[in-house]
Amino acid sequence: MGVLTFEKEITTSIPQAKTFKAFILESDTLIPKILPQITIEFLEGNGGPGTIKKTTFAEGGEVKYIKTKVEATDKDNFMHCYSVIEGEPWMDELEKTSYEIKIIASSDGGSIIKSVSKYYPKEGCELNEERIKAGAEKAFGIFKAIEAYVLANPNAC
C-alpha cells in the first residue's frame, strides 16, 4: 500500500496572524491549559525545527501518546510542518505521519487552515482509512477547543 494523503480545510473567524499564533506558536501552552487531560513535554529543542515533543493523552483513550518532530515553521508565510514519529496504539503500522499546515487570510477577516496529512505505512501493512479519518476528527475536537478559547478570550494570544 502506498502513502495515504488527506487534505482538509477549516475556516475560522479568527484572523490569520492570531490563528497562527494560537494554533502553532502557542499551542504547546494553550492545549494543556484548555484540555488538562493532555500534557505536552519538550524532549529536545526549543520549538523550532528539530524539536521533539511528547504529547500524552488521558488514560482510557485509544491514543496514549505521540511524539512529534517539528520539520519547519515559516512565520512570514504562516506555514508549519511536523511529523508524528512515534506513538500508540498504531504506530507499529506506520513509518511516520507528516503534516503541512498553511493558514491563509479569508476575505471576511478570518482565516482558512489548510492541512495536508500523509500517512507512510510500514512494509506489508494495510492502513485502515476509516480509523485514520476517525483520528482526524478527534484532532478536530482539539482545534474546536482552542478556537472556542481564543474567541472567548480575545486577549489570550
Side-chain angles (χ1 to χ4, degrees):
M1 173 178 245
V3 174
L4 285 179
T5 301
F6 295 98
E7 295 183 23
K8 185 167 183 87
E9 284 190 10
I10 302 168
T11 59
T12 181
S13 60
I14 303 168
Q16 180 185 34
K18 192 169 200 164
T19 297
F20 190 76
K21 188 174 183 184
F23 290 90
I24 305 300
L25 301 178
E26 295 185 6
S27 65
D28 299 326
T29 54
L30 277 180
I31 291 172
K33 181 178 184 178
I34 299 165
L35 301 165
Q37 68 272 28
I38 298 173
T39 60
I40 299 174
E41 172 186 7
F42 281 72
L43 302 177
E44 294 178 29
N46 61 1
T51 296
I52 296 177
K53 299 181 275 187
K54 181 179 181 183
T55 303
T56 305
F57 300 90
E59 288 188 35
E62 181 184 13
V63 177
K64 294 168 183 28
Y65 79 95
I66 58 171
K67 283 186 184 175
T68 57
K69 180 179 181 184
V70 176
E71 306 292 348
T73 302
D74 183 342
K75 295 176 186 175
D76 295 330
N77 292 302
F78 303 99
M79 289 185 67
H80 181 70
C81 301
Y82 70 98
S83 297
V84 175
I85 57 172
E86 184 180 312
E88 294 179 356
W90 50 286
M91 283 303 291
D92 55 333
E93 300 170 5
L94 294 166
E95 291 293 332
K96 72 174 183 173
T97 306
S98 66
Y99 298 89
E100 182 178 306
I101 299 166
K102 174 133 177 97
I103 300 172
I104 300 166
S106 60
S107 60
D108 63 1
S111 54
I112 302 166
I113 302 169
K114 292 188 174 197
S115 174
V116 177
S117 54
K118 295 182 180 181
Y119 297 81
Y120 297 84
K122 288 184 177 177
E123 184 79 26
C125 289
E126 290 289 322
L127 298 180
N128 180 327
E129 287 188 45
E130 293 307 313
R131 187 175 182 192
I132 290 171
K133 288 178 184 177
E137 285 305 311
K138 288 180 184 176
F140 183 65
I142 294 172
F143 163 82
K144 294 307 276 178
I146 295 171
E147 179 185 43
Y149 179 83
V150 171
L151 290 172
N153 300 279
N155 296 323
C157 295

